Amino acid sequence: MKQTHLKQFLISFILLFPLYSSAQMFSVGSGDGQNRSNIFAPFLMGGVEFIDFQFQGDPEFDPLLAFNGMAARASFESGGFNLGLSLGNNFTGLTDNNYFALNLNFINPFYFVRKPNFGLGVPIQLSSKLTSVGSDLSSNEFSQTNLSAGAGGIARYFVPEKFSITAQFIPSFGFSTASGGFIGGNVFSLNGKARIVFYNVIFNKNISLGYDYTFDSYNIDGEEFDYDLNGHTLTLGISL
């Protein structure tokens, strides 16, 4: 991962965090304390991500960065704050390719249906993602940092002291830049997330079973780096 991209990612964090904090303060008084505490318990998550990274640009360009394979996934989730890392290489079965992704999401749900055990709402998402793909067969490297915003739908079902189920789906649109900002374009994303949390399972710790769907479609100047990324992630987590 290049230092320029890390700087861009950190700048995105600095820009997004105050906006997220304001949204959280706005919505704090709108929920029931017990439900909110359970839903926003912090978790450490680990799992595997199945990735299909396919070239969508002009056929005259080198498509050798495309791959289909698996990456290891680790993340920290606390309320609407999500920080995730994916890494794919020889260890995960990618023979000729390497994959790295670092994503930061701030999600704030506004519920318009509030029942003791059920809620429906609209989640607002601000996110930044650094994606890097390389290949032993090509001198090119796909390395993009994007900043995006979106809104979608969220549903949750909650049984006190037993379990909760949360599902959300968020389309978003943003801008993407390469190292130095000389090559860029836009990115359209679809992000789905489902969590089943069981409470007080082991030593008063909560256990989370998770599934994530990711679709990123990059439209980069020149078509050389126009790729679509489809990802399916299975995770297991424990509360802190």
Side-chain angles (χ1 to χ4, degrees):
M1 179 178 59
K2 297 180 180 179
Q3 291 184 351
T4 303
H5 284 279
L6 182 57
K7 289 178 181 177
Q8 292 174 341
F9 188 83
L10 292 175
I11 289 172
S12 298
F13 176 86
I14 294 170
L15 291 174
L16 290 176
F17 188 74
L19 296 174
Y20 167 76
S21 299
S22 298
Q24 286 292 90
M25 290 176 65
F26 178 78
S27 64
V28 159
S30 62
D32 135 5
Q34 182 183 16
N35 288 10
R36 190 175 182 82
S37 174
N38 282 308
I39 289 177
F40 288 94
F43 280 89
L44 283 179
M45 310 284 290
V48 293
E49 181 176 6
F50 301 93
I51 304 161
D52 185 22
F53 188 70
Q54 297 300 325
F55 184 64
Q56 303 296 328
D58 192 319
E60 73 178 64
F61 292 110
D62 180 2
L64 293 177
L65 295 177
F67 74 93
N68 188 300
M70 186 174 68
R73 176 74 176 175
S75 62
F76 172 78
E77 301 182 356
S78 179
F81 173 86
N82 301 298
L83 179 64
L85 171 69
S86 296
L87 182 64
N89 50 30
N90 288 335
F91 181 76
T92 64
L94 298 184
T95 306
D96 299 317
N97 295 85
N98 56 78
Y99 169 77
F100 176 89
L102 180 65
N103 68 279
L104 175 69
N105 298 326
F106 295 120
I107 301 170
N108 197 59
F110 294 89
Y111 288 96
F112 54 83
V113 174
R114 284 186 174 275
K115 303 293 183 181
N117 293 341
F118 180 74
L120 285 175
V122 176
I124 307 297
Q125 175 178 275
L126 303 173
S127 63
S128 181
K129 184 177 182 181
L130 188 164
T131 305
S132 178
V133 178
S135 172
D136 296 337
L137 305 177
S138 174
S139 59
N140 286 336
E141 179 184 10
F142 179 93
S143 191
Q144 294 284 322
T145 302
N146 66 58
L147 181 65
S148 61
I154 186 171
R156 67 178 177 87
Y157 180 73
F158 174 68
V159 178
E161 306 301 328
K162 293 185 178 180
F163 69 92
S164 68
I165 301 174
T166 304
Q168 67 182 31
F169 190 75
I170 303 175
S172 61
F173 183 82
F175 301 95
S176 184
T177 61
S179 179
F182 296 112
I183 301 176
N186 58 67
V187 57
F188 173 74
S189 300
L190 297 172
N191 294 282
K193 176 180 176 180
R195 295 289 183 272
I196 303 176
V197 177
F198 299 95
Y199 299 107
N200 304 314
V201 177
I202 304 174
F203 303 112
N204 295 321
K205 298 293 186 180
N206 303 333
I207 298 298
S208 173
L209 301 178
Y211 166 76
D212 292 85
Y213 171 72
T214 301
F215 173 75
D216 295 324
S217 182
Y218 292 88
N219 182 15
I220 307 300
D221 292 344
E223 295 193 26
E224 186 177 0
F225 297 105
D226 288 357
Y227 282 85
D228 283 356
L229 185 151
N230 273 282
H232 300 271
T233 304
L234 301 175
T235 56
L236 175 65
I238 186 168
S239 64
L240 299 178

